[in-house]
Amino acid sequence: MSNAMRTPAGAINVERYQGAVAEGRFRRLWNANAPGYLFLLPWLIGFFGLTLGPALISLYLSFTDFDMLQSPRWVGMANYVRIATADPKFSAAMHVTLTYVVFSVPFKLTFALLVAMALNRGLRGLSIYRAVFYLPSLLGGSVAIAVLWRQLFSSDGLVNAALSHFGIEGPSWISHPNYSIYTLVALSVWQFGSPMIIFLAGLRQIPQDMYEAASLDGASKFRQFYKITLPLLTPVIFFNAVVQTIDAFKAFTPAFIISGGTGGPINSTLFYTLYLYQEAFGNFRMGYASALAWILVVIIAIFTAFSFLTSRYWVHYDD
């Protein structure tokens, strides 16, 4: 009888001991990691409060009819069905955005690589050149630069004034549907500073003795570029291509300022993000705009995944 009465007390003591051990382990871990968590706290608040939380809310709103004045009304897949079957402006926005991506990203990367190779020749005052060439990347996304660009390519702007000296009468570039998108492409290429800096850092990592050995073997400059520079620079090219493609899909400010928020003329500058903005804050179709936003997320994810899947065939690392 006494053994039966002692068994529960012993079990309670064991549980208390295990609980004390676990509590002591937790305290030791907390004391060791508390400073790190405190330093991470601002990022965690921003991630959950400004990124993950709004993203999940927008995912829910994409399945609703919400005009910001009344409570969201669940409509299921209706927004996505309408986008796929009954929205011609969605197709126009996708066409304009893809045109912008296809032209702006390759031209920007090519120009950035050429400038980086020129700066890699050991110029005096290299830091000044890097700062000057990087400046457009800092200013290019601003409203002021977009306004300046609109003035440059207007019918009586500086571009047409320069062409008039050669007897060429230029059109109003931003008002013509055949040319307006290419003025935005030119603005994107002008912001080549960020990939140029990364290309320059990659060029500095290529061993010079490889070029010396190639020169001794009689390789021309073009062959050295094709056989040495490009293969060893492919990781940097891959990184720049992915980053610039994502940025091109998200471009908004230049199209908004140059077209006055309309995407004109004739939807020729209707970027996807501009159309999303019009639906959300112009037509107050926040649920529909949320669906558009998630489609853009999926499109960017597909392009990024495709880039990573194909990178194994052309990106060279240590091998």
Side-chain angles (χ1 to χ4, degrees), residues 50-119:
L50 301 177
T51 302
L52 183 61
L56 294 178
I57 293 173
S58 71
L59 180 60
Y60 164 72
L61 291 178
S62 68
F63 297 100
T64 66
D65 181 11
F66 180 46
D67 59 1
M68 296 191 295
L69 300 177
Q70 299 177 352
S71 299
R73 182 175 60 88
W74 183 265
V75 295
M77 297 293 295
N79 289 329
Y80 294 96
V81 172
R82 179 189 169 193
I83 291 172
T85 60
D87 189 354
K89 292 192 71 173
F90 168 77
S91 301
M94 281 301 307
H95 174 74
V96 171
T97 303
L98 289 176
T99 301
Y100 178 77
V101 171
V102 168
F103 282 96
S104 66
V105 174
F107 280 115
K108 179 191 285 189
L109 295 184
T110 301
F111 193 63
L113 179 57
L114 293 175
V115 175
M117 293 180 64
L119 294 179

Side-chain angles (χ1 to χ4, degrees), residues 205-227:
Q205 300 301 316
I206 300 177
Q208 292 299 315
D209 55 359
M210 301 185 69
Y211 293 107
E212 296 173 0
S215 298
L216 292 176
D217 289 339
S220 63
K221 292 294 184 181
F222 177 78
R223 189 169 182 82
Q224 292 178 31
F225 173 78
Y226 182 73
K227 291 294 185 180

Side-chain angles (χ1 to χ4, degrees), residues 68-300:
M68 296 191 295
L69 300 177
Q70 299 177 352
S71 299
R73 182 175 60 88
W74 183 265
V75 295
M77 297 293 295
N79 289 329
Y80 294 96
V81 172
R82 179 189 169 193
I83 291 172
T85 60
D87 189 354
K89 292 192 71 173
F90 168 77
S91 301
M94 281 301 307
H95 174 74
V96 171
T97 303
L98 289 176
T99 301
Y100 178 77
V101 171
V102 168
F103 282 96
S104 66
V105 174
F107 280 115
K108 179 191 285 189
L109 295 184
T110 301
F111 193 63
L113 179 57
L114 293 175
V115 175
M117 293 180 64
L119 294 179
N120 194 42
R121 294 176 176 269
L123 298 175
R124 291 183 178 181
L126 179 60
S127 59
I128 298 176
Y129 284 106
R130 284 187 299 191
V132 170
F133 287 133
Y134 186 71
L135 190 61
S137 292
L138 297 177
L139 302 177
S142 66
V143 174
I145 295 299
V147 173
L148 174 63
W149 213 256
R150 184 173 62 184
Q151 297 300 321
L152 287 175
F153 286 93
S154 62
S155 57
D156 55 350
L158 184 62
V159 173
N160 283 344
L163 292 176
S164 64
H165 289 289
F166 300 95
I168 301 175
E169 183 178 355
S172 178
W173 302 93
I174 61 174
S175 301
H176 198 292
N178 293 337
Y179 306 124
S180 56
I181 183 63
Y182 300 106
T183 63
L184 299 178
V185 170
L187 176 57
S188 175
V189 175
W190 180 67
Q191 303 171 47
F192 66 92
S194 179
M196 181 268 296
I197 292 293
I198 299 175
F199 277 136
L200 185 58
L203 290 170
R204 290 299 179 91
Q205 300 301 316
I206 300 177
Q208 292 299 315
D209 55 359
M210 301 185 69
Y211 293 107
E212 296 173 0
S215 298
L216 292 176
D217 289 339
S220 63
K221 292 294 184 181
F222 177 78
R223 189 169 182 82
Q224 292 178 31
F225 173 78
Y226 182 73
K227 291 294 185 180
I228 299 176
T229 305
L230 275 185
L232 294 180
L233 208 60
T234 48
V236 180
I237 296 174
F238 172 67
F239 174 81
N240 274 333
V242 171
V243 171
Q244 296 303 320
T245 300
I246 294 174
D247 287 344
F249 272 110
K250 297 188 303 179
F252 170 78
T253 303
F256 180 83
I257 298 300
I258 289 179
S259 69
T262 64
I266 318 177
N267 294 333
S268 60
T269 59
L270 185 64
F271 283 8
Y272 192 97
T273 52
L274 179 56
Y275 177 49
L276 193 157
Y277 173 85
Q278 290 177 351
E279 288 295 314
F281 302 104
N283 300 324
F284 296 103
R285 290 195 283 260
M286 189 61 68
Y288 192 73
S290 298
L292 289 172
W294 275 97
I295 289 178
L296 179 61
V297 170
V298 172
I299 292 173
I300 293 176

Side-chain angles (χ1 to χ4, degrees), residues 36-47:
Y37 287 118
L38 289 177
F39 279 111
L40 284 173
L41 187 60
W43 181 87
L44 292 173
I45 294 174
F47 176 72

